Coordinates of all heavy atoms in Angstrom, one line a residue:
M1 N 24.9 6.9 18.6 CA 23.6 6.8 19.2 C 23.3 5.3 19.6 O 23.6 4.4 18.8 CB 22.5 7.3 18.2 CG 21.1 7.2 18.7 SD 19.9 8.1 17.8 CE 20.5 9.7 17.8
I2 N 22.7 5.1 20.7 CA 22.4 3.8 21.2 C 21.0 3.4 20.7 O 20.0 4.2 20.8 CB 22.4 3.7 22.7 CG1 23.8 4.0 23.3 CG2 22.0 2.3 23.2 CD1 23.8 4.2 24.8
L3 N 20.9 2.3 20.0 CA 19.6 1.8 19.5 C 19.3 0.4 20.2 O 20.2 -0.4 20.1 CB 19.6 1.6 18.0 CG 20.0 2.8 17.2 CD1 20.2 2.5 15.7 CD2 19.0 3.9 17.4
T4 N 18.1 0.2 20.7 CA 17.8 -1.0 21.4 C 16.4 -1.4 21.3 O 15.5 -0.5 21.3 CB 18.3 -1.0 22.8 OG1 18.1 -2.3 23.4 CG2 17.7 0.0 23.7
T5 N 16.1 -2.7 21.3 CA 14.7 -3.1 21.3 C 14.1 -3.2 22.8 O 12.9 -3.3 23.0 CB 14.5 -4.5 20.7 OG1 15.4 -5.4 21.4 CG2 14.9 -4.5 19.2
T6 N 15.0 -3.1 23.7 CA 14.6 -3.1 25.1 C 14.1 -1.7 25.6 O 14.4 -0.7 24.9 CB 15.8 -3.6 26.1 OG1 16.8 -2.6 25.9 CG2 16.2 -5.0 25.7
N7 N 13.4 -1.7 26.7 CA 12.9 -0.4 27.2 C 13.9 0.3 28.1 O 13.5 1.4 28.6 CB 11.6 -0.6 27.9 CG 10.5 -1.1 26.9 OD1 10.5 -0.6 25.8 ND2 9.6 -1.9 27.4
S8 N 15.0 -0.3 28.4 CA 16.0 0.4 29.2 C 17.4 0.0 28.6 O 17.5 -0.9 27.8 CB 15.9 -0.1 30.7 OG 16.1 -1.5 30.7
I9 N 18.4 0.7 29.1 CA 19.8 0.5 28.6 C 20.6 0.2 29.8 O 20.7 1.0 30.7 CB 20.3 1.7 27.8 CG1 19.4 2.0 26.7 CG2 21.7 1.4 27.4 CD1 19.7 3.3 26.0
E10 N 21.2 -1.0 29.9 CA 22.0 -1.4 31.0 C 23.1 -0.4 31.3 O 23.8 0.0 30.4 CB 22.6 -2.8 30.8 CG 23.1 -3.5 32.0 CD 23.4 -4.9 31.8 OE1 22.6 -5.6 31.1 OE2 24.4 -5.4 32.4
N11 N 23.3 0.0 32.5 CA 24.3 0.9 33.0 C 24.1 2.3 32.5 O 25.0 3.1 32.5 CB 25.7 0.4 32.6 CG 26.1 -0.9 33.2 OD1 25.7 -1.2 34.4 ND2 26.7 -1.8 32.5
H12 N 22.9 2.7 32.0 CA 22.6 4.0 31.6 C 21.3 4.4 32.2 O 20.3 3.6 32.1 CB 22.5 4.1 30.1 CG 23.8 4.0 29.4 ND1 24.4 2.8 29.1 CD2 24.7 5.0 28.9 CE1 25.6 3.0 28.5 NE2 25.7 4.3 28.3
K13 N 21.2 5.6 32.7 CA 19.9 6.1 33.2 C 19.2 7.0 32.2 O 19.8 7.9 31.7 CB 20.1 6.8 34.5 CG 18.9 7.3 35.1 CD 19.1 8.1 36.4 CE 17.7 8.5 36.9 NZ 17.7 9.3 38.1
I14 N 18.0 6.7 31.9 CA 17.2 7.6 31.0 C 16.8 8.8 31.8 O 16.2 8.7 32.9 CB 16.0 6.9 30.5 CG1 16.4 5.7 29.6 CG2 15.1 7.8 29.7 CD1 15.3 4.8 29.1
I15 N 17.2 10.0 31.3 CA 16.9 11.2 32.0 C 15.8 12.1 31.4 O 15.2 12.9 32.0 CB 18.2 12.1 32.2 CG1 18.9 12.4 30.9 CG2 19.2 11.5 33.2 CD1 20.1 13.3 31.0
D16 N 15.5 11.7 30.1 CA 14.4 12.4 29.5 C 13.8 11.6 28.3 O 14.5 11.1 27.6 CB 14.8 13.8 29.0 CG 13.7 14.8 28.7 OD1 12.6 14.5 29.1 OD2 14.0 15.8 28.1
Y17 N 12.5 11.6 28.3 CA 11.8 10.9 27.1 C 11.4 12.0 26.2 O 10.7 13.0 26.6 CB 10.6 10.2 27.6 CG 10.9 8.9 28.4 CD1 11.1 9.0 29.8 CD2 11.0 7.7 27.8 CE1 11.5 7.9 30.5 CE2 11.3 6.6 28.5 CZ 11.6 6.7 29.9 OH 11.9 5.5 30.6
L18 N 11.9 12.0 24.9 CA 11.7 13.1 24.0 C 10.6 12.9 23.0 O 10.2 13.8 22.3 CB 13.0 13.3 23.3 CG 14.2 13.6 24.2 CD1 15.5 13.6 23.5 CD2 14.0 14.9 25.0
G19 N 10.2 11.7 22.8 CA 9.0 11.4 21.8 C 9.2 10.2 21.0 O 10.3 9.6 21.0
I20 N 8.2 9.8 20.3 CA 8.2 8.6 19.4 C 8.8 9.1 18.1 O 8.5 10.1 17.6 CB 6.8 8.1 19.3 CG1 6.3 7.6 20.6 CG2 6.8 7.0 18.2 CD1 4.8 7.2 20.6
V21 N 9.7 8.2 17.6 CA 10.4 8.5 16.3 C 10.2 7.3 15.4 O 10.0 6.1 15.9 CB 11.9 8.8 16.4 CG1 12.1 10.2 17.0 CG2 12.6 7.8 17.3
T22 N 10.1 7.5 14.1 CA 9.9 6.5 13.1 C 10.8 6.6 11.9 O 11.2 7.8 11.6 CB 8.4 6.6 12.6 OG1 7.5 6.5 13.7 CG2 8.1 5.5 11.6
G23 N 11.2 5.5 11.4 CA 11.9 5.5 10.1 C 11.2 4.5 9.2 O 11.0 3.4 9.6
V24 N 10.8 5.0 8.0 CA 10.1 4.1 7.0 C 10.9 4.2 5.7 O 11.3 5.3 5.3 CB 8.7 4.6 6.8 CG1 8.0 3.7 5.8 CG2 7.9 4.5 8.1
A25 N 11.1 3.0 5.1 CA 11.7 3.0 3.8 C 11.1 1.9 3.0 O 10.6 0.9 3.5 CB 13.2 2.7 4.0
M26 N 11.1 2.1 1.7 CA 10.5 1.2 0.7 C 11.4 1.0 -0.5 O 12.0 1.9 -0.9 CB 9.1 1.6 0.3 CG 8.4 0.7 -0.7 SD 6.8 1.3 -1.2 CE 5.8 0.6 0.1
N27 N 11.5 -0.3 -0.9 CA 12.3 -0.6 -2.1 C 11.6 0.1 -3.3 O 10.4 0.1 -3.4 CB 12.4 -2.1 -2.3 CG 13.3 -2.5 -3.5 OD1 13.9 -1.6 -4.1 ND2 13.4 -3.7 -3.7
K28 N 12.4 0.7 -4.1 CA 11.9 1.5 -5.3 C 11.5 0.6 -6.5 O 10.9 1.0 -7.4 CB 12.8 2.6 -5.7 CG 13.3 3.5 -4.6 CD 12.3 4.1 -3.7 CE 12.8 5.1 -2.8 NZ 13.1 4.8 -1.5
E29 N 12.0 -0.6 -6.5 CA 11.7 -1.5 -7.6 C 11.1 -2.8 -7.2 O 11.4 -3.4 -6.1 CB 13.0 -1.8 -8.4 CG 14.0 -2.7 -7.7 CD 15.2 -2.9 -8.6 OE1 15.9 -2.0 -9.0 OE2 15.5 -4.1 -8.9
A30 N 10.1 -3.2 -7.9 CA 9.3 -4.5 -7.6 C 10.2 -5.7 -7.8 O 11.1 -5.7 -8.7 CB 8.1 -4.6 -8.4
L31 N 10.0 -6.7 -7.0 CA 10.8 -7.9 -7.1 C 9.9 -8.9 -7.9 O 8.9 -9.3 -7.5 CB 11.1 -8.5 -5.8 CG 11.9 -7.6 -4.9 CD1 12.0 -8.1 -3.4 CD2 13.3 -7.4 -5.4
S32 N 10.5 -9.3 -9.1 CA 9.7 -10.2 -9.9 C 10.2 -11.7 -9.7 O 11.4 -11.9 -9.6 CB 9.7 -9.8 -11.4 OG 11.1 -9.8 -11.8
M33 N 9.3 -12.6 -9.7 CA 9.7 -14.0 -9.6 C 10.0 -14.6 -10.9 O 9.3 -14.4 -11.9 CB 8.5 -14.8 -8.9 CG 8.9 -16.1 -8.5 SD 7.5 -17.1 -7.7 CE 6.9 -15.9 -6.5
G34 N 11.2 -15.2 -11.0 CA 11.6 -15.9 -12.2 C 11.5 -17.4 -12.1 O 10.7 -17.9 -11.3
F35 N 12.3 -18.1 -12.8 CA 12.3 -19.5 -12.8 C 13.0 -20.1 -11.5 O 12.8 -21.2 -11.1 CB 13.0 -20.1 -14.0 CG 12.2 -19.8 -15.2 CD1 12.6 -18.9 -16.2 CD2 10.9 -20.5 -15.4 CE1 11.8 -18.7 -17.3 CE2 10.2 -20.2 -16.6 CZ 10.6 -19.3 -17.5
S36 N 14.0 -19.3 -11.0 CA 14.7 -19.8 -9.8 C 14.2 -19.2 -8.5 O 14.3 -18.0 -8.3 CB 16.2 -19.4 -10.0 OG 16.9 -19.7 -8.8
M37 N 13.6 -20.0 -7.7 CA 13.1 -19.5 -6.4 C 14.3 -19.1 -5.5 O 14.1 -18.1 -4.7 CB 12.3 -20.6 -5.7 CG 11.0 -20.9 -6.3 SD 9.9 -19.5 -6.5 CE 9.5 -19.2 -4.8
S38 N 15.4 -19.8 -5.5 CA 16.5 -19.3 -4.7 C 17.0 -17.9 -5.0 O 17.4 -17.2 -4.2 CB 17.7 -20.4 -4.7 OG 18.2 -20.4 -6.0
K39 N 17.1 -17.6 -6.3 CA 17.4 -16.3 -6.7 C 16.4 -15.2 -6.3 O 16.8 -14.1 -5.8 CB 17.6 -16.2 -8.2 CG 18.9 -16.8 -8.8 CD 19.0 -16.6 -10.3 CE 20.2 -17.4 -10.8 NZ 20.4 -17.2 -12.2
Y40 N 15.1 -15.6 -6.3 CA 14.1 -14.7 -5.9 C 14.2 -14.5 -4.4 O 14.1 -13.3 -4.0 CB 12.7 -15.3 -6.2 CG 11.5 -14.6 -5.7 CD1 11.2 -13.3 -6.3 CD2 10.7 -15.1 -4.8 CE1 10.1 -12.6 -5.8 CE2 9.6 -14.4 -4.3 CZ 9.3 -13.1 -4.8 OH 8.2 -12.4 -4.4
Y41 N 14.4 -15.5 -3.6 CA 14.5 -15.3 -2.2 C 15.8 -14.5 -1.8 O 15.8 -13.7 -0.9 CB 14.6 -16.7 -1.5 CG 13.2 -17.4 -1.5 CD1 13.2 -18.8 -1.7 CD2 12.0 -16.8 -1.4 CE1 12.0 -19.5 -1.8 CE2 10.8 -17.5 -1.4 CZ 10.8 -18.8 -1.6 OH 9.6 -19.5 -1.7
T42 N 16.9 -14.7 -2.6 CA 18.1 -13.9 -2.3 C 17.8 -12.5 -2.6 O 18.2 -11.6 -1.9 CB 19.2 -14.4 -3.2 OG1 19.5 -15.8 -2.9 CG2 20.5 -13.6 -3.0
K43 N 17.1 -12.2 -3.7 CA 16.7 -10.8 -4.0 C 15.9 -10.2 -2.9 O 16.1 -9.0 -2.5 CB 15.9 -10.7 -5.3 CG 16.7 -10.8 -6.6 CD 15.7 -10.6 -7.8 CE 16.4 -10.9 -9.1 NZ 15.4 -10.8 -10.2
I44 N 14.9 -10.9 -2.4 CA 14.1 -10.4 -1.3 C 14.9 -10.1 -0.1 O 14.8 -9.0 0.5 CB 13.0 -11.4 -0.9 CG1 11.9 -11.5 -2.0 CG2 12.3 -11.0 0.4 CD1 10.9 -12.5 -1.8
Q45 N 15.8 -11.0 0.3 CA 16.7 -10.9 1.4 C 17.6 -9.6 1.3 O 17.7 -8.8 2.2 CB 17.5 -12.1 1.6 CG 18.4 -12.1 2.8 CD 19.3 -13.4 3.0 OE1 19.1 -14.3 2.2 NE2 20.1 -13.4 4.0
N46 N 18.2 -9.5 0.1 CA 19.1 -8.3 -0.1 C 18.3 -7.0 -0.1 O 18.7 -6.0 0.5 CB 19.8 -8.5 -1.4 CG 20.8 -9.6 -1.4 OD1 21.3 -10.0 -0.3 ND2 21.2 -10.1 -2.5
S47 N 17.1 -7.0 -0.7 CA 16.2 -5.9 -0.7 C 15.8 -5.4 0.7 O 15.9 -4.3 1.1 CB 15.0 -6.1 -1.5 OG 14.1 -5.0 -1.4
I48 N 15.4 -6.4 1.5 CA 15.0 -6.1 2.9 C 16.2 -5.5 3.7 O 16.1 -4.6 4.5 CB 14.4 -7.3 3.6 CG1 13.0 -7.6 3.0 CG2 14.3 -7.1 5.1 CD1 12.4 -8.9 3.4
E49 N 17.4 -6.1 3.5 CA 18.6 -5.6 4.3 C 18.8 -4.1 3.9 O 19.1 -3.3 4.8 CB 19.8 -6.5 4.0 CG 19.8 -7.8 4.7 CD 19.8 -7.7 6.2 OE1 20.5 -6.8 6.7 OE2 19.1 -8.5 6.8
D50 N 18.8 -3.8 2.6 CA 19.0 -2.5 2.2 C 18.0 -1.5 2.7 O 18.3 -0.4 3.2 CB 19.1 -2.4 0.6 CG 20.2 -3.1 0.0 OD1 21.2 -3.5 0.8 OD2 20.2 -3.4 -1.2
V51 N 16.7 -1.9 2.6 CA 15.6 -1.0 3.0 C 15.7 -0.9 4.5 O 15.4 0.2 5.1 CB 14.3 -1.6 2.5 CG1 13.1 -0.8 3.1 CG2 14.3 -1.6 1.0
K52 N 16.0 -1.9 5.3 CA 16.1 -1.8 6.7 C 17.2 -0.8 7.2 O 16.9 0.0 8.1 CB 16.4 -3.2 7.3 CG 16.4 -3.2 8.8 CD 16.7 -4.6 9.4 CE 18.2 -4.9 9.1 NZ 18.8 -6.0 9.9
E53 N 18.3 -0.8 6.5 CA 19.4 0.1 6.8 C 18.9 1.6 6.6 O 19.2 2.4 7.4 CB 20.6 -0.2 6.0 CG 21.4 -1.4 6.5 CD 21.8 -1.4 7.9 OE1 22.3 -0.3 8.4 OE2 21.6 -2.4 8.6
E54 N 18.2 1.8 5.5 CA 17.7 3.1 5.2 C 16.7 3.6 6.3 O 16.7 4.7 6.7 CB 17.0 3.1 3.8 CG 16.6 4.4 3.3 CD 15.9 4.4 1.9 OE1 16.2 3.4 1.2 OE2 15.1 5.3 1.6
A55 N 15.8 2.6 6.7 CA 14.8 3.0 7.7 C 15.5 3.3 9.0 O 15.1 4.2 9.7 CB 13.8 1.8 7.9
F56 N 16.5 2.5 9.4 CA 17.2 2.8 10.7 C 17.9 4.2 10.6 O 18.0 4.9 11.6 CB 18.2 1.7 11.0 CG 17.6 0.7 11.9 CD1 17.1 -0.5 11.4 CD2 17.5 0.9 13.3 CE1 16.6 -1.5 12.2 CE2 17.0 -0.1 14.1 CZ 16.5 -1.3 13.6
Q57 N 18.5 4.5 9.4 CA 19.1 5.8 9.3 C 18.1 6.9 9.4 O 18.4 7.9 10.1 CB 19.8 5.9 7.9 CG 20.7 7.1 7.8 CD 21.8 7.1 8.8 OE1 22.6 6.2 8.9 NE2 22.0 8.2 9.5
T58 N 16.9 6.8 8.9 CA 15.9 7.8 9.0 C 15.5 7.9 10.5 O 15.3 9.0 11.0 CB 14.7 7.5 8.2 OG1 15.1 7.4 6.8 CG2 13.6 8.5 8.3
L59 N 15.4 6.8 11.2 CA 15.0 6.8 12.6 C 16.1 7.5 13.4 O 15.7 8.4 14.2 CB 14.9 5.3 13.1 CG 14.7 5.2 14.6 CD1 13.2 5.1 14.9 CD2 15.4 3.9 15.1
Q60 N 17.3 7.3 13.1 CA 18.4 8.0 13.9 C 18.4 9.5 13.6 O 18.6 10.3 14.5 CB 19.8 7.4 13.5 CG 20.0 6.0 14.1 CD 21.4 5.5 13.7 OE1 22.4 6.2 14.1 NE2 21.5 4.4 13.1
N61 N 18.2 9.9 12.3 CA 18.1 11.3 11.9 C 16.9 12.0 12.7 O 17.1 13.1 13.2 CB 17.9 11.4 10.4 CG 19.2 11.0 9.7 OD1 20.3 10.9 10.2 ND2 19.0 10.8 8.4
N62 N 15.8 11.3 12.7 CA 14.6 11.9 13.4 C 14.9 12.0 14.9 O 14.5 13.0 15.6 CB 13.4 11.1 13.1 CG 12.9 11.2 11.7 OD1 13.2 12.2 11.0 ND2 12.2 10.2 11.2
A63 N 15.6 11.0 15.5 CA 15.9 11.1 16.9 C 16.9 12.2 17.2 O 16.8 12.9 18.2 CB 16.5 9.8 17.4
A64 N 17.9 12.4 16.3 CA 18.9 13.4 16.5 C 18.2 14.8 16.4 O 18.7 15.8 17.1 CB 19.9 13.3 15.4
K65 N 17.2 15.0 15.6 CA 16.5 16.3 15.6 C 15.8 16.6 16.9 O 15.6 17.8 17.2 CB 15.4 16.2 14.5 CG 15.9 16.2 13.1 CD 14.7 16.1 12.1 CE 15.3 15.9 10.7 NZ 14.2 15.6 9.7
L66 N 15.5 15.6 17.7 CA 15.0 15.8 19.0 C 16.1 15.9 20.1 O 15.8 16.0 21.3 CB 14.0 14.7 19.4 CG 12.8 14.5 18.5 CD1 12.0 13.3 18.9 CD2 11.9 15.8 18.6
K67 N 17.3 15.9 19.7 CA 18.5 16.0 20.6 C 18.6 14.7 21.4 O 19.1 14.7 22.5 CB 18.5 17.2 21.5 CG 18.3 18.5 20.7 CD 19.5 18.9 20.0 CE 19.5 20.3 19.5 NZ 19.3 20.4 18.1
A68 N 18.2 13.6 20.9 CA 18.3 12.3 21.6 C 19.7 11.7 21.4 O 20.3 11.9 20.4 CB 17.2 11.3 21.1
N69 N 20.1 10.9 22.4 CA 21.3 10.1 22.2 C 21.1 8.6 22.2 O 22.0 7.8 22.2 CB 22.4 10.6 23.2 CG 22.0 10.4 24.6 OD1 20.9 9.9 24.9 ND2 23.0 10.7 25.5
A70 N 19.8 8.3 22.3 CA 19.4 6.8 22.2 C 18.0 6.7 21.8 O 17.2 7.6 21.9 CB 19.6 6.2 23.6
V71 N 17.6 5.5 21.3 CA 16.3 5.2 21.0 C 16.0 3.8 21.6 O 16.7 2.8 21.4 CB 16.0 5.1 19.5 CG1 14.5 4.7 19.2 CG2 16.3 6.4 18.8
V72 N 15.0 3.7 22.5 CA 14.6 2.5 23.2 C 13.3 1.9 22.7 O 12.5 2.7 22.0 CB 14.6 2.7 24.7 CG1 15.9 3.1 25.2 CG2 13.5 3.7 25.1
G73 N 13.0 0.7 23.0 CA 11.8 0.1 22.6 C 11.5 0.0 21.1 O 10.4 0.1 20.7
I74 N 12.6 -0.3 20.4 CA 12.4 -0.3 18.9 C 11.6 -1.5 18.5 O 11.9 -2.6 18.9 CB 13.8 -0.3 18.2 CG1 14.5 1.1 18.5 CG2 13.7 -0.6 16.7 CD1 15.9 1.1 18.0
K75 N 10.7 -1.3 17.6 CA 9.9 -2.3 16.9 C 10.1 -2.2 15.4 O 10.1 -1.1 14.9 CB 8.4 -2.1 17.2 CG 8.0 -2.1 18.7 CD 8.0 -3.4 19.3 CE 7.5 -3.4 20.7 NZ 8.5 -3.7 21.7
I76 N 10.3 -3.4 14.8 CA 10.6 -3.4 13.4 C 9.5 -4.2 12.7 O 9.1 -5.3 13.1 CB 11.9 -4.1 13.1 CG1 13.0 -3.4 13.9 CG2 12.2 -4.1 11.6 CD1 14.3 -4.2 13.9
E77 N 8.9 -3.6 11.6 CA 7.9 -4.3 10.8 C 8.4 -4.4 9.4 O 8.8 -3.4 8.8 CB 6.6 -3.5 10.9 CG 5.9 -3.5 12.2 CD 4.5 -2.8 12.2 OE1 3.9 -2.9 11.1 OE2 4.2 -2.3 13.2
I78 N 8.4 -5.6 8.9 CA 8.8 -5.8 7.5 C 7.6 -6.4 6.7 O 7.0 -7.3 7.2 CB 10.0 -6.8 7.5 CG1 11.2 -6.2 8.3 CG2 10.4 -7.0 6.0 CD1 12.3 -7.1 8.5
E79 N 7.4 -5.9 5.5 CA 6.3 -6.5 4.8 C 6.6 -6.3 3.3 O 7.3 -5.4 2.8 CB 4.9 -5.9 5.1 CG 4.7 -4.5 4.6 CD 3.3 -4.0 5.0 OE1 3.0 -3.7 6.1 OE2 2.4 -4.0 4.1
L80 N 6.1 -7.3 2.5 CA 6.1 -7.2 1.1 C 4.7 -6.7 0.6 O 3.7 -7.3 1.0 CB 6.4 -8.5 0.4 CG 7.9 -8.9 0.3 CD1 8.0 -10.3 -0.3 CD2 8.7 -7.9 -0.5
T81 N 4.6 -5.7 -0.1 CA 3.3 -5.2 -0.6 C 2.8 -6.2 -1.6 O 3.5 -7.0 -2.1 CB 3.4 -3.8 -1.2 OG1 4.2 -3.8 -2.4 CG2 4.0 -2.8 -0.2
T82 N 1.6 -6.0 -2.0 CA 1.0 -6.9 -3.0 C 1.7 -6.8 -4.4 O 1.7 -7.7 -5.2 CB -0.5 -6.5 -3.3 OG1 -0.6 -5.1 -3.6 CG2 -1.3 -6.8 -2.0
S83 N 2.4 -5.7 -4.6 CA 3.2 -5.5 -5.8 C 4.7 -6.0 -5.6 O 5.5 -5.7 -6.5 CB 3.2 -4.1 -6.3 OG 1.9 -3.7 -6.5
N84 N 4.9 -6.7 -4.5 CA 6.3 -7.2 -4.2 C 7.3 -6.1 -4.0 O 8.5 -6.2 -4.4 CB 6.8 -8.2 -5.2 CG 6.1 -9.5 -5.1 OD1 5.6 -9.8 -4.0 ND2 6.2 -10.3 -6.1
Y85 N 6.9 -5.0 -3.4 CA 7.9 -4.0 -2.9 C 8.1 -4.2 -1.4 O 7.2 -4.4 -0.6 CB 7.2 -2.6 -3.0 CG 7.1 -2.1 -4.5 CD1 5.8 -2.2 -5.1 CD2 8.1 -1.5 -5.2 CE1 5.6 -1.7 -6.4 CE2 7.9 -1.1 -6.5 CZ 6.7 -1.2 -7.1 OH 6.5 -0.8 -8.3
A86 N 9.4 -4.3 -1.1 CA 9.8 -4.5 0.3 C 9.7 -3.2 1.1 O 10.2 -2.1 0.6 CB 11.2 -5.0 0.4
M87 N 9.0 -3.2 2.2 CA 8.8 -2.0 3.0 C 9.2 -2.3 4.5 O 8.8 -3.4 5.0 CB 7.4 -1.5 3.0 CG 7.2 -0.2 3.8 SD 5.5 0.4 3.6 CE 4.8 -0.4 5.0
V88 N 10.0 -1.4 5.1 CA 10.4 -1.6 6.5 C 10.0 -0.4 7.3 O 10.3 0.8 6.8 CB 11.9 -1.9 6.6 CG1 12.3 -1.9 8.1 CG2 12.3 -3.1 5.9
S89 N 9.4 -0.6 8.4 CA 9.0 0.5 9.3 C 9.7 0.2 10.7 O 9.5 -0.8 11.2 CB 7.5 0.6 9.5 OG 7.1 1.5 10.5
V90 N 10.4 1.2 11.2 CA 11.1 1.1 12.5 C 10.6 2.2 13.4 O 10.6 3.4 13.0 CB 12.6 1.2 12.3 CG1 13.3 1.0 13.6 CG2 13.1 0.3 11.2
T91 N 10.1 1.9 14.6 CA 9.5 2.9 15.5 C 10.1 2.6 16.9 O 10.3 1.5 17.3 CB 8.0 2.7 15.6 OG1 7.5 2.8 14.3 CG2 7.4 3.8 16.5
G92 N 10.4 3.7 17.6 CA 10.9 3.6 19.0 C 10.7 4.9 19.7 O 10.2 5.9 19.2
T93 N 11.2 5.0 20.9 CA 11.1 6.2 21.7 C 12.5 6.8 21.9 O 13.4 6.2 22.3 CB 10.6 5.8 23.2 OG1 9.3 5.2 23.1 CG2 10.4 7.1 24.0
A94 N 12.5 8.1 21.4 CA 13.8 8.8 21.5 C 14.0 9.3 23.0 O 13.0 9.8 23.6 CB 13.7 10.0 20.6
V95 N 15.2 9.1 23.5 CA 15.5 9.4 24.9 C 16.8 10.1 25.0 O 17.7 10.0 24.1 CB 15.4 8.2 25.8 CG1 14.0 7.6 25.8 CG2 16.5 7.2 25.4
K96 N 17.0 10.8 26.1 CA 18.3 11.3 26.5 C 18.8 10.5 27.6 O 18.0 10.3 28.6 CB 18.2 12.8 26.9 CG 19.4 13.4 27.4 CD 20.4 13.8 26.3 CE 19.9 15.0 25.6 NZ 20.9 15.5 24.6
V97 N 20.0 9.8 27.5 CA 20.5 9.0 28.6 C 21.8 9.7 29.1 O 22.5 10.4 28.4 CB 20.8 7.6 28.2 CG1 19.6 6.8 27.8 CG2 21.8 7.5 27.1
A98 N 22.0 9.5 30.4 CA 23.2 10.0 31.0 C 24.4 9.1 30.6 O 24.3 7.9 30.6 CB 23.1 9.9 32.6
V99 N 25.5 9.8 30.2 CA 26.7 9.0 29.7 C 27.8 9.1 30.6 O 27.9 9.9 31.5 CB 27.1 9.4 28.3 CG1 26.6 8.5 27.3 CG2 26.7 10.8 28.0

């Protein structure tokens, strides 16, 4: 599946717009700050990477349910909740492109 933040795909023609799809994922454990800021920042970075992958997988699964072979116009939102849970939301438009 082709995933892109742009609204078109070079050398591919969009033949059908199938709908907006979303993938949301949240880290299941809160990140606590200790004495080492560098360890805390590394934990946040690793947590966001893991959660982002899960959100993208959900996005692709939701697009596949619509029989899409690409998602265009992807927007990514990353936030830490007040309880230090990492949350990632990925939204785009599921499309069928000519291959």
Side-chain angles (χ1 to χ4, degrees):
M1 181 169 299
I2 300 170
L3 304 174
T4 182
T5 58
T6 61
N7 292 325
S8 61
I9 304 168
E10 195 169 321
N11 299 324
H12 290 81
K13 181 180 180 184
I14 295 175
I15 54 177
D16 198 9
Y17 290 86
L18 304 170
I20 295 171
V21 287
T22 303
V24 178
M26 180 180 272
N27 185 0
K28 309 311 188 261
E29 66 181 60
L31 302 169
S32 58
M33 191 180 309
F35 292 109
S36 172
M37 288 305 288
S38 65
K39 285 183 182 178
Y40 176 67
Y41 292 139
T42 301
K43 280 184 189 177
I44 290 173
Q45 183 179 0
N46 292 338
S47 174
I48 289 172
E49 285 298 320
D50 294 343
V51 174
K52 184 179 73 163
E53 288 303 316
E54 186 180 336
F56 267 100
Q57 189 59 54
T58 303
L59 176 89
Q60 288 183 59
N61 292 343
N62 290 336
K65 289 176 188 173
L66 297 176
K67 307 286 191 253
N69 60 357
V71 180
V72 297
I74 293 175
K75 303 285 186 243
I76 304 166
E77 292 184 31
I78 301 170
E79 73 178 75
L80 278 178
T81 66
T82 55
S83 303
N84 284 343
Y85 291 97
M87 185 176 88
V88 176
S89 173
V90 185
T91 304
T93 303
V95 297
K96 177 76 79 176
V97 296
V99 260

